[in-house]
Amino acid sequence: DQQVKQNSPSLSVQEGRISILNCDYTNSMFDYFLWYKKYPAEGPTFLISISSIKDKNEDGRFTVFLNKSAKHLSLHIVPSQPGDSAVYFCAAKGQETSGSRLTFGEGTQLTVNP
Amino acid sequence: DAGITQSPRHKVTETGTPVTLRCHQTENHRYMYWYRQDPGHGLRLIHYSYGVKDTDKGEVSDGYSVSRSKTEDFLLTLESATSSQTSVYFCATGKGGANSYGYTFGSGTRLTVV
């Protein structure tokens, strides 16, 4: 039972354009969402997060949108840069989750072409 | 000195042999986690720890055991390695507590079971 799903395994965009990465979840008890970025041969690194009481959080070129009614969140990168090419993981935390555990999606490989 | 160190970085082992992966942190974080990354599955939680000698199972714990005898170290043991345990293993730590839900990840251990 995959509670966090990223349905697009890959996404390719041109440098300077917008990248939109999507994530859907099924557990209505999730109350905090995060995006991680992963380069090859490295561990994932935290990118941006959002609480379930908000619908938008922005940090520089990165914006995360949350639509609770649709159980959907998205990460927007504007403008996209070649250095943004990486695997992006969506993650979620449940209110009832002990140990602050996060549930991750499958990941989306973003390629930004010069 | 890196905050989270995983050892070894790469290992090839034979089916049926025991294997222990080590995670060492200098962050003094309360929570520690072991995840495995596989294509099409993203990051899946194996085991986690919420304090010294306090551990619990994640979603894919069969065939794995863990131990945490001190805050800094979290060991993952494959009692009898199988080919299905060929994967990249990531250790992560978390401070826990309100609004501190993000993890810090190690660089990973690539394990091949032949």
Side-chain angles (χ1 to χ4, degrees), chain B residues 45-99:
Chain B
L45 181 64
I46 305 171
H47 281 279
Y48 66 101
S49 168
Y50 42 95
V52 174
K53 292 189 169 60
D54 290 323
T55 65
D56 206 347
K57 296 178 179 180
E59 58 183 308
V60 289
S61 60
D62 287 348
Y64 302 94
S65 63
V66 290
S67 65
R68 191 170 178 198
S69 59
K70 47 185 179 177
T71 301
E72 310 87 81
D73 294 324
F74 194 32
L75 303 180
L76 176 71
T77 297
L78 289 67
E79 303 290 347
S80 177
T82 67
S83 58
S84 65
Q85 293 175 313
T86 293
S87 185
V88 181
Y89 291 85
F90 288 99
C91 173
T93 69
K95 286 191 289 188
N99 300 319

Side-chain angles (χ1 to χ4, degrees), chain A residues 14-28:
Chain A
Q14 286 299 119
E15 181 178 5
R17 305 296 290 269
I18 184 172
S19 295
I20 300 177
L21 295 95
N22 294 303
C23 178
D24 297 297
Y25 62 95
T26 58
N27 188 342
S28 59

Side-chain angles (χ1 to χ4, degrees), chain A residues 26 28 54 58 66 77 96-97 102 104 111:
Chain A
T26 58
S28 59
K54 298 188 175 183
E58 190 172 353
L66 175 62
I77 306 174
E96 80 291 2
T97 302
L102 298 178
F104 287 83
T111 302

Side-chain angles (χ1 to χ4, degrees), chain A residues 1-2 31-32 34 36 38 41-46 87 89 93 98-107, chain B residues 9 31 33 35 37 40-43 45 48 50 57-58 90 96-97 99-103 105-108:
Chain A
D1 178 26
Q2 189 73 20
D31 64 351
Y32 201 82
L34 307 90
Y36 281 81
K38 184 185 178 305
E42 295 183 9
T45 55
F46 171 75
V87 176
F89 290 101
K93 186 193 80 68
S98 63
S100 298
R101 288 173 293 162
L102 298 178
T103 300
F104 287 83
E106 302 94 328
Chain B
R9 289 296 312 275
Y31 297 98
Y33 311 85
Y35 282 83
Q37 183 193 3
H41 292 279
L43 294 162
L45 181 64
Y48 66 101
Y50 42 95
K57 296 178 179 180
F90 288 99
N99 300 319
S100 296
Y101 305 123
Y103 293 173
F105 280 88
S107 298

